[in-house]
Amino acid sequence: MASTSLLPLGSFSGNLSSSHHVTRGRFRRMRTQCLRSGIDTKGSQVVGCESELSLIQRRVVIGLGLSASSILFHSPNAESAGLPPQEIPKLCDESCEKELENIPMVTTESGLQYKDIKVGSGPSPPVGYQVAANYVAMVPSGQVFDSSLEKRQVYIFRVGSGQVVKGLDEGILSMKVGGKRRLYVPGSLAFPKGLTSAPGRPRVAPNSPVIFDVSLEYIPGLDDEE
C-alpha cells in the first residue's frame, strides 16, 4: 500500500536543493541591485533593500528547517520510534514451539502433515456436524494472516462439507474435543486462488503451503446429546 512515509529520502533532498538554489539566486540578484542602489540612490532605498534581503534570508532558513523536518517526519525510523510491536495472540507459545520439535510428525495419504500439541479427551466430530474451533493461520515463515483469537470468538463451521480449505477439514475430523494440533497444509489442500494481503499481513500465493494451529473447543449438538 503506497504511503508517503515510504518515499526515498532522495525525493525530498532533490526538492530541497532546487528550491534553495532558486532562493539563493534571487538573494544574489537582490544584493547586487542593492549595492548599485547604495551608490546611485538615496539612503531610504538602501534601507528598503536591506529589509528585503533580510526577509529572503529568513525565508531560506525557514525553508531549510521545514524541509529537514519533513524528511525526519516521513522517515520510517522516526515513524516506528516509540511504537510497541504488535502482539498477535497464538495457540502455541515459545515453550510450545520447543516441545513441537520433539513431537513426531504424522503424514496422511493426501499429503497433510500434523503434530498433536495436545490430544483431546472428548469425541471426534462426525462428517457434516458443526464444530467450534479456534485457529491461527500462518504462512511457512510463521507470519499470521488470519486468527479467530484476534476476533475473540470461536469459528463455527460444518466439518467435512467443504466450508473451509481441505487441509483444515481433514485435520479436524481426526481430532478430539479439547485437542490442539498444528497442521502443515500443502498447497494442493490450501487456497487454490490464494489470498490478498491485508495491512500488516502477508499475502498467501495461490496453491502455496500454509500452517494452521487449531484447537477443537466443542461440537454443538453432540455435546448436548451426551
Side-chain angles (χ1 to χ4, degrees):
M1 187 174 182
S3 171
T4 53
S5 63
L6 301 181
L7 289 175
L9 292 182
S11 63
F12 286 98
S13 61
N15 294 335
L16 174 61
S17 60
S18 62
S19 61
H20 175 61
H21 177 75
V22 171
T23 308
R24 185 173 57 185
R26 183 185 173 193
F27 178 77
R28 286 176 176 174
R29 288 195 301 271
M30 285 298 303
R31 185 179 179 185
T32 301
Q33 291 174 3
C34 284
L35 288 174
R36 290 174 178 173
S37 298
I39 297 172
D40 300 330
T41 62
K42 296 180 181 179
S44 59
Q45 288 179 315
V46 175
V47 173
C49 282
E50 290 177 348
S51 298
E52 187 165 355
L53 286 172
S54 177
L55 177 60
I56 293 173
Q57 285 179 310
R58 287 199 299 272
R59 285 176 178 174
V60 170
V61 173
I62 293 172
L64 289 172
L66 289 175
S67 298
S69 64
S70 297
I71 292 174
L72 293 175
F73 179 77
H74 289 290
S75 169
N77 293 331
E79 264 195 350
S80 59
L83 295 177
Q86 183 183 13
E87 293 185 5
I88 300 175
K90 295 184 176 181
L91 286 172
C92 187
D93 56 18
E94 290 184 7
S95 61
C96 168
E97 293 285 354
K98 292 180 180 179
E99 291 176 6
L100 272 175
E101 296 176 4
N102 302 318
I103 297 175
M105 180 82 78
V106 177
T107 303
T108 70
E109 292 182 2
S110 68
L112 175 70
Q113 294 182 311
Y114 65 83
K115 290 186 176 186
D116 278 316
I117 300 169
K118 176 185 176 183
V119 178
S121 57
S124 294
V127 174
Y129 267 66
Q130 284 190 329
V131 296
N134 273 311
Y135 69 89
V136 176
M138 300 168 280
V139 293
S141 66
Q143 289 180 286
V144 176
F145 64 85
D146 194 12
S147 170
S148 66
L149 298 181
E150 289 186 306
K151 300 166 187 175
R152 297 183 179 180
Q153 59 181 9
V154 293
Y155 183 59
I156 298 177
F157 66 98
R158 201 169 296 279
V159 68
S161 60
Q163 292 183 353
V164 295
V165 295
K166 294 178 181 179
L168 185 55
D169 248 350
E170 181 185 343
I172 286 184
L173 277 171
S174 58
M175 290 181 68
K176 294 181 178 180
V177 172
K180 189 185 295 183
R181 177 176 287 182
R182 172 162 289 184
L183 303 172
Y184 300 87
V185 184
S188 58
L189 303 177
F191 299 93
K193 297 181 180 179
L195 295 174
T196 57
S197 61
R201 298 302 164 89
R203 171 181 174 268
V204 179
N207 296 311
S208 64
V210 294
I211 297 172
F212 278 93
D213 283 348
V214 59
S215 62
L216 183 55
E217 303 296 332
Y218 60 92
I219 304 173
L222 187 62
D223 289 349
D224 295 341
E225 290 174 8
E226 297 181 353

